[in-house]
Amino acid sequence: MVDSTIPCRFVFESMRLNNLGNKDLPKIEPAEWDELGHLSEFLGSFVVSARNSPTIHLVVPRIVLISERIGVLAEHCNRVIRLAAATMQAKFDKYFADIPPIMIIANVLDPRCKLDFLRDVLGLGDQALQHTEYLFASPRYEPVPAAPPTLATNIQPQAANSSTRVRPVSAFAKFYANAPSANSSSTISELTAYLQEPRIQVDDCLDVKFNILQYWKNSRFTRLDLMARDVLAVQASNVAAESTFSL
């Protein structure tokens, strides 16, 4: 709304000059227009479009950019901007002092960032790994064990009252029951392999042209792919939902 008002500055000034006797026209001083321009610049730093941020993996880098931008605006030459930055900093600390784990995991699942961004920029490398390992160890992402093969046999069962009755299928039950189970090391083996692979090198980790959903669709990490589909489906903001039900 502010951006759409600024281009009308000269229209308002022309109307005021041509209708000096009309008291109904708003009288906006040049200094006020300048304040409006600064305000537009300030608010523009915090615009996050759902169209440009389709999935939650972009939230953490944007949080970092916003934090840096608030720091710059806090030293702005305009007093109004400095005051607005101070208010925004308080809001920022309230909502993003602790980044939600789901946003951290989503950033780890971005092959352009993995653990490096969270470790190098925010110092959250260990915390990010713990959150990701915890979710990956969920039974939902455990590999589905293959069904034991059907065994053909020509052995005829003996009489029902015989104590030596042959059960060829059950004879393998113990073997299958003692198959290697998914322990903590094997549970994270696919995650470890993913993290050990080199990151996709890009100049901008916020480039929306990178199709992260297509990346995971073609990934060889089948279990991580399932987790990525769950995590990346999370809405980055509840603004759209609130607007739908807003009266």
Side-chain angles (χ1 to χ4, degrees):
M1 183 179 296
V2 176
D3 288 342
S4 62
T5 304
I6 294 177
C8 300
R9 171 176 181 173
F10 298 104
V11 175
F12 279 105
E13 291 180 348
S14 297
M15 291 176 62
R16 184 171 61 86
L17 291 174
N18 294 329
N19 300 272
L20 294 177
N22 191 341
K23 298 181 179 180
D24 294 331
L25 290 176
K27 183 180 180 180
I28 306 177
E29 299 296 336
E32 294 177 301
W33 282 110
D34 293 339
E35 295 285 357
L36 197 62
H38 289 306
L39 182 61
S40 175
E41 176 189 357
F42 175 78
L43 295 176
S45 303
F46 308 104
V47 173
V48 179
S49 171
R51 180 184 61 186
N52 294 330
S53 302
T55 49
I56 198 172
H57 68 287
L58 297 176
V59 172
V60 171
R62 288 193 182 277
I63 288 175
V64 173
L65 288 179
I66 289 174
S67 177
E68 292 179 350
R69 184 60 177 164
I70 292 176
V72 172
L73 293 173
E75 301 178 359
H76 200 277
C77 60
N78 185 277
R79 183 182 65 87
V80 174
I81 299 301
R82 293 198 301 272
L83 292 175
T87 303
M88 184 64 74
Q89 184 66 60
K91 292 282 187 180
F92 182 89
D93 293 341
K94 175 182 178 181
Y95 291 108
F96 296 112
D98 296 314
I99 301 176
I102 192 67
M103 294 182 179
I104 291 177
I105 296 172
N107 191 245
V108 174
L109 292 174
D110 188 334
R112 301 168 298 176
C113 299
K114 299 191 176 183
L115 289 175
D116 295 355
F117 184 89
L118 290 156
R119 181 188 63 237
D120 300 340
V121 179
L122 297 176
L124 297 177
D126 293 340
Q127 183 178 343
L129 181 60
Q130 290 174 3
H131 286 316
T132 309
E133 287 179 346
Y134 180 82
L135 181 61
F136 189 60
S138 168
R140 174 173 172 77
Y141 308 118
E142 290 182 356
V144 179
T150 301
L151 302 177
T153 178
N154 294 323
I155 302 178
Q156 298 296 323
Q158 299 179 8
N161 58 358
S162 173
S163 60
T164 58
R165 183 173 180 177
V166 178
R167 297 181 176 85
V169 175
S170 298
F172 289 83
K174 185 176 181 179
F175 171 77
Y176 290 118
N178 292 331
S181 58
N183 52 36
S184 58
S185 59
S186 61
T187 299
I188 65 172
S189 60
E190 189 173 293
L191 175 61
T192 302
Y194 162 72
L195 294 175
Q196 289 177 346
E197 285 189 349
R199 290 185 293 107
I200 295 178
Q201 297 297 321
V202 293
D203 296 328
D204 182 11
C205 64
L206 285 170
D207 185 4
V208 296
K209 295 181 181 179
F210 175 72
N211 193 333
I212 190 172
L213 301 178
Q214 189 66 38
Y215 168 86
W216 282 110
K217 181 179 180 180
N218 299 331
S219 172
R220 66 184 178 88
F221 302 114
T222 54
R223 295 172 59 199
L224 270 177
D225 170 40
L226 179 59
M227 189 173 85
R229 280 184 283 172
D230 287 344
V231 172
L232 298 177
V234 175
Q235 206 171 336
S237 169
N238 64 352
V239 172
E242 291 180 355
S243 298
T244 301
F245 296 98
S246 176
L247 300 178

